[in-house]
């Protein structure tokens, strides 16, 4: 049977594939210019890589970590994700400046989709850790 790390990685790849397909189908109708479509595609790739890295960090050292270390890693990853998102928006605002309002709305939608995925992953992980701690 697949481990939790591989299961959530597969779900994450499916999520990013679906978002990419939606971007390819509706990106041109959402934006009148190409740079926001390319930047949104880059955001999907960046968020997918960040989530894969967080799953790998939390699952690879699962048995060796104390709950305090796990929380420190999780908070570090969350702050890092927020900083990368802000840097991404700042670079977009400085470099491209095309359809900024629409791009930020789409970007924040992507951020919340990946936030929901990450919350579901962490909820299942904590339930699994509590179940193994009881036994």
């Amino acid at each position: 049977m697949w481990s939790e790390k591989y299961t959530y990685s597969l779900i994450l790849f499916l999520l990013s594939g679906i978002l990419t397909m939606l971007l390819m189908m509706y990106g041109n109708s959402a934006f009148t210019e190409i740079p926001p479509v390319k930047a949104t595609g880059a955001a999907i790739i960046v968020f997918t890589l960040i989530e894969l890295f967080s799953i790998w960090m939390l699952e690879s050292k699962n048995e060796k970590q104390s709950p305090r270390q796990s929380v420190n890693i999780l908070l570090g990853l969350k702050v890092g994700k927020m900083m990368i998102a802000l840097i991404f928006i700042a670079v977009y605002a400085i470099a491209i400046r095309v359809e900024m309002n629409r791009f930020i709305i789409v970007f924040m939608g992507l951020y919340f989709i990946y936030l929901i995925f990450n919350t579901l992953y962490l909820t299942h992980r904590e339930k699994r850790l509590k179940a193994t701690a009881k036994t």
Side-chain angles (χ1 to χ4, degrees), residues 15 31 45 89:
L15 174 66
F31 302 109
I45 292 168
I89 289 175

Side-chain angles (χ1 to χ4, degrees), residues 40-134:
T40 305
I44 291 171
I45 292 168
V46 167
F47 281 148
T48 302
L49 291 176
I50 291 170
E51 293 301 324
L52 281 173
F53 182 70
S54 67
I55 289 171
W56 179 78
M57 284 291 291
L58 289 172
E59 291 293 332
S60 65
K61 301 176 184 175
N62 192 15
E63 296 84 22
K64 302 173 189 172
Q65 291 174 350
S66 69
R68 185 179 186 125
Q69 289 173 327
S70 189
V71 168
N72 287 341
I73 290 172
L74 179 64
L75 289 176
L77 290 168
K78 292 293 128 197
V79 169
K81 181 179 176 182
M82 189 181 312
M83 293 302 292
I84 289 171
L86 290 174
I87 290 169
F88 199 92
I89 289 175
V91 167
Y92 181 85
I94 292 169
I96 299 176
R97 297 183 190 175
V98 177
E99 300 185 60
M100 190 67 191
N101 292 336
R102 287 186 193 176
F103 174 73
I104 289 178
I105 290 169
V106 170
F107 186 86
M108 295 313 297
L110 286 173
Y111 188 87
F112 286 121
I113 289 170
Y114 280 93
L115 182 69
I116 290 168
F117 169 80
N118 196 272
T119 303
L120 292 173
Y121 161 70
L122 291 172
T123 302
H124 290 293
R125 181 179 183 271
E126 289 302 316
K127 286 181 183 177
R128 181 175 39 91
L129 290 177
K130 286 180 183 179
T132 56
K134 288 182 182 179

